[in-house]
Amino acid sequence: MRVLLLGGGGREHALAWKIAQSSKLEKLYIAPGNAGTAVLAENVSIAVTDFKAIADFIVEKEIQLLIVGPEDPLVEGIRDFLQADNRLSGLMIVGPGKDGAILEGSKDFAKQFMKRHGIPTAGYMTVTSHNIAEGQQFLATLNPPYVLKADGLAAGKGVLIIDDLKEAQKELKEMLGGKFGKASCRVVIEEFLHGIEISVFAITDGKDYRILGSAKDYKRIGEGDTGLNTGGMGAVSPVPFANSEFNRKVEELIVRPTVEGLQKDGIDYRGFIFFGLMNDGGNPAVIEYNVRMGDPETEVVIPRLKTDILELLVATATGRLAEAEFALDERYCTTVMLVAGGYPGCYEKGNIIIGLKDVEDSIVFHAGTKLEDGQVLTNGGRVMAVSSYGHTLEGALQQSYKNVEHIKFKSMNFRRDIGQDLLKWVR
């Protein structure tokens, strides 16, 4: 089978790593890819939102399956664009159309969807410039901290959590005034959910689903969850506090009603769903939906998939997921993200990375790298993730950190406490 995977981060490297193991694979292309994916597949210099160039490439290379990694092309409607192209009538696509991708593309739509289908989530109000006074009043009825979310995609920067009411009211006005561009022309005010965050991943063909497992990622740049938010500094799967009872509640109260809700709303959703959840004393509630896999969670979830991922993806695209084999590795998988100095603020690119050949019994997934004159260079804020298996959580973490010590590049930074807060659940 000839496959095209869109994206160039750690998520896509992890997916490519697993796809490359399939006996069904004939040729894998990745657009645009990175230095890590270049070892597994053929990188193609096409932007993920250049739909015409993607369509032409699919025709030229006789691609049979397209997997869309990041959210932007999904929200912008790549599936709809390609399905309207008469040349691509036989193309299989993993990733929802525009009507499904709005689950991530609009916070307001997602909240309405959850309310309509009885899925537990925080109380909320959607505010525009026309009802800003009502929004200010709603904020005053809430207990701090106050949660403000830009309705649209804002490159991961559109969520503010504020302790002071007057500051929250001021920020609401600024967001509606264009602080995050078009993304914040509507703002969702939410009640703050207390508890421990956890991510759960599923894949669905629109009728059936498979739960790919749970993960906990670490967003803050500094140890002890301090400092600025990042795209993720590490992750652990499975999550020790997600016991069988909690997982049962997640499936019965959230995953199944979401898939059934999509069906009831007439949305033919074929792809991944990321459930960002809060565990409040054993009771799950949805913080957000994503319509793709997370990063760096993919780097710990996909390695635990024991079955042929290509068979799973084809079954998803063709509506035959119920027939596909599915099994997960019971071992833990952990990942530690290596980032450029200064990230998530200003940082350098183009620094040489050494020591990759010294890594043993871990998998290095590239996120922001490029190849130049035979050398691997940094090419982003989050540079690479070091993932490891372990029969115990502690063992998996030790293995990742052991191999982190082999890798070097200028001003390299990483958190040294990934997963430490979870050890109390397994001791």
Side-chain angles (χ1 to χ4, degrees), residues 17 20 53 94 106 117 266 331 380 390 411:
W17 172 82
V94 175
S106 169
H117 298 293
R331 289 178 295 174
S411 303

Side-chain angles (χ1 to χ4, degrees), residues 103-391:
L103 267 182
E104 180 170 358
S106 169
K107 301 291 192 299
D108 177 55
F109 177 90
K111 297 297 279 191
Q112 289 186 47
F113 176 90
M114 287 182 266
K115 185 177 181 180
R116 185 163 62 249
H117 298 293
I119 297 164
T121 189
Y124 79 102
M125 178 182 181
T126 300
V127 184
T128 69
S129 57
H130 299 295
N131 67 337
I132 187 170
E134 294 174 42
Q136 303 284 29
Q137 291 171 2
F138 181 67
L139 277 169
T141 69
L142 302 176
N143 294 319
Y146 307 94
V147 181
L148 304 177
K149 295 183 176 181
D151 178 59
L153 297 181
K157 299 176 182 176
V159 178
L160 302 179
I161 300 175
I162 301 164
D163 291 318
D164 181 74
L165 175 59
K166 287 185 178 179
E167 185 185 349
Q169 291 173 328
K170 174 175 170 287
E171 286 289 352
L172 174 62
K173 190 174 181 180
E174 290 184 3
M175 288 176 75
L176 291 169
K179 180 170 184 173
F180 297 110
K182 291 181 181 179
S184 60
C185 65
R186 288 187 296 181
V187 174
V188 174
I189 303 171
E190 278 191 355
E191 291 181 311
F192 182 81
L193 290 174
H194 294 272
I196 309 173
E197 286 192 42
I198 177 175
S199 302
V200 171
F201 299 87
I203 192 166
T204 180
D205 63 0
K207 306 185 300 295
D208 297 294
Y209 61 85
R210 293 286 183 268
I211 297 176
L212 301 174
S214 64
K216 186 178 190 301
D217 78 326
Y218 295 79
K219 291 292 186 194
R220 301 281 186 171
I221 187 67
E223 273 95 21
D225 287 328
T226 57
L228 295 173
N229 266 333
T230 73
M233 296 294 292
V236 169
S237 180
V239 181
F241 62 72
N243 57 26
S244 58
E245 176 62 12
F246 180 80
N247 291 334
R248 182 191 64 79
K249 289 180 180 178
V250 169
E251 181 168 9
E252 292 184 2
L253 300 178
I254 294 170
V255 178
R256 186 178 300 132
T258 296
V259 174
E260 290 176 350
L262 290 166
Q263 282 183 281
K264 289 174 184 174
D265 289 354
I267 297 171
D268 183 17
Y269 192 110
R270 304 188 185 204
F272 297 104
I273 308 178
F274 167 121
F275 301 86
L277 307 178
M278 186 66 77
N279 174 10
D280 180 6
N283 295 307
V286 178
I287 301 170
E288 65 174 352
Y289 289 115
N290 289 167
V291 297
R292 35 72 190 187
M293 293 294 287
D295 192 346
E297 296 100 326
T298 307
E299 289 94 298
V300 293
V301 171
I302 290 300
R304 295 186 58 233
L305 182 63
K306 291 178 72 174
T307 40
D308 188 319
I309 194 172
L310 203 47
E311 290 184 5
L312 198 66
L313 294 171
V314 169
T316 298
T318 57
R320 296 184 295 101
L321 190 55
E323 303 169 20
E325 291 186 14
F326 180 76
L328 294 177
D329 195 318
E330 293 184 357
R331 289 178 295 174
Y332 285 97
C333 188
T334 63
T335 200
V336 177
M337 185 67 70
L338 310 183
V339 304
Y343 174 79
C346 297
Y347 56 84
E348 291 182 5
K349 295 182 181 181
N351 291 318
I352 297 170
I353 303 168
I354 62 172
L356 294 174
K357 292 180 180 178
D358 298 323
V359 172
E360 293 183 355
D361 299 323
S362 291
I363 314 156
V364 178
F365 293 119
H366 293 230
T369 65
K370 65 177 180 179
L371 277 175
E372 197 171 284
D373 299 327
Q375 292 184 313
V376 180
L377 307 180
T378 64
N379 194 41
R382 291 190 302 157
V383 178
M384 52 185 52
V386 182
S387 297
S388 307
Y389 297 105
H391 291 288

